[in-house]
């Protein structure tokens, strides 16, 4: 009963929008399943240019709206601030579209920031809000990367505790929120909510092969299909324990960690090449390191040096995220408790969360 009243009150008091309420601004992205624009409200000339983001999505938009509504109630700080989603079917020519609205969180995704020559110092400036006038070096870079990893894992822990697996974790889907000065997750279009069986059957064509864990199917193909309507809440936690689907995201987050530590692995091509090498090593990252280290470039050596700081706990963490078997990977919660995070990171505004 309480839930019903709450949902009603929320529906009643939250703003609801329609197509004509928005003025389209710059296009921010275009994938196979939708187009993303910066937008502003037509009736609010006082509002800054484009303080909202609109995604016009295909049929997968329905799932994305569901996921965003759920995130807002259960783990709001994990993802970009969702405002509203609706089915737009007024235009006669084109097929129905789902429109999704978020607050504009900021200009930079982690992909943009990592591609910069200034990385990771550019992120340090964003998180602290000031330029640190300190000597550059491995220790400082490690501290920044540690802070980014902590924020990503914190956001993932929120999603996973809610029963959501993202399935498309990559730097392009991690946005720096200027207001909270933290990284947040975006793009829940490929996400799956196992507790209620929404989008349970993985659409493997939605997965990005560059960041996907070796198990392409998140749940073993032996598990029975969950119903496509939200009912089976009693069954799903068992399946969760059995298959540990959240570890798919952990693998992807491990690859992001790797790319932050090794500048040479940040381009698409070098990541694809890394994936090939790792596969050749039977997904044994220790074997990968051994195969490389004897004839290692100075740049690659520097990456290993960074991970080897403090007795190699960074390398230890990476090893326990990028593993072939899902069961052997740490959960987000366990990763946050890893000694790699014992040292204090950058002073952040996390107390606000
Ligand atoms: P897709 O990958 O399906 O095209 P995304 O949801 O990843 O759609 O959004 C595409 C791009 O739009 C992102 O990479 C990011 O640059 C930008 N973007 C999305 N949501 C926001 C937001 N809330 N605030 C600022 N920028 C956003
Ligand atoms: Mg995306």
């Amino acid at each position: 009963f309480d839930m019903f009243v709450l949902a009603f009150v929320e529906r009643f008091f939250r703003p609801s929008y329609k197509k004509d309420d928005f003025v389209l601004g710059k296009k921010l992205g275009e994938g196979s399943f939708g187009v993303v624009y910066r937008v502003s409200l037509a009736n609010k000339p006082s509002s800054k240019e484009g303080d909202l983001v609109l995604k016009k999505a295909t049929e997968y938009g329905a799932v994305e709206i569901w996921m965003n509504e759920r995130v807002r109630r259960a783990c709001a700080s994990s993802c970009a601030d969702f405002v509203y989603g609706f089915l737009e079917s007024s235009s006669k020519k084109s097929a129905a579209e789902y429109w999704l609205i978020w607050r504009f969180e900021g200009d930079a995704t982690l992909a943009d920031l990592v591609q910069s020559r200034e990385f990771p110092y550019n992120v340090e400036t964003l998180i602290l809000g000031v330029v640190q006038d300190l000597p550059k070096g491995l220790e400082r870079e490690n501290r920044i990367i540690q802070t980014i990893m902590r924020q990503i894992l914190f956001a993932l822990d929120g999603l996973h505790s809610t029963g959501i697996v993202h399935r498309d974790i990559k730097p392009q889907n991690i946005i720096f929120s200027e207001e909270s000065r933290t990284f947040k997750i975006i793009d829940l279009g490929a996400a799956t909510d196992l507790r209620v069986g929404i989008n349970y059957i993985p659409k493997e064509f939605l997965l990005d092969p560059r960041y996907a864990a070796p198990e392409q199917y998140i749940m073993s193909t032996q598990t029975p299909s969950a119903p496509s309507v939200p009912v089976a809440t009693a069954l799903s936690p068992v399946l969760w324990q059995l298959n540990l689907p959240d570890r798919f995201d952990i693998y992807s987050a491990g690859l992001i960690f790797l790319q932050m530590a090794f500048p040479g692995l940040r381009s698409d091509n070098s990541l694809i090449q890394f994936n090939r090498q790792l596969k050749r090593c039977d997904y044994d990252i220790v074997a990968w390191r051994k195969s490389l280290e004897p004839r290692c470039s100075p740049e690659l050596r520097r990456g290993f040096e960074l991970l080897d700081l403090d007795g190699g706990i960074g390398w230890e963490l990476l090893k326990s995220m990028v593993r072939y078997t899902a069961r052997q990977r740490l959960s987000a919660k366990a990763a946050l408790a890893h000694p790699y995070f014992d040292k204090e990171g950058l002073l952040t505004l996390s107390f606000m969360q």
Side-chain angles (χ1 to χ4, degrees), residues 138 261-263 297-308:
L138 276 182
F262 296 96
S297 69
E299 197 202 53
L300 210 58
R301 179 151 301 121
R302 198 168 180 278
F304 287 123
E305 262 171 49
L306 184 144
L307 293 168
D308 284 344

Side-chain angles (χ1 to χ4, degrees), residues 200-202 215-225 239 242-245:
Y200 173 81
I201 307 294
E215 74 276 17
Q216 277 183 315
Y217 297 88
I218 298 219
M219 305 297 260
S220 99
T221 44
Q222 271 83 38
T223 46
S225 309
L239 290 181
L242 220 62
N243 291 286
L244 302 170

Side-chain angles (χ1 to χ4, degrees), residues 167-170 204 206-216 247-249 251-252 255 271 275 283 329:
R167 300 197 295 190
D168 199 13
I169 292 296
K170 55 185 177 184
E204 66 269 40
L206 284 179
L207 306 179
D208 189 321
R210 291 169 301 173
Y211 293 90
E215 74 276 17
Q216 277 183 315
R247 305 302 200 273
F248 189 87
D249 290 344
Y251 187 94
S252 310
L255 292 193
L271 183 60
N275 285 331
Y283 293 95
R329 293 174 214 144

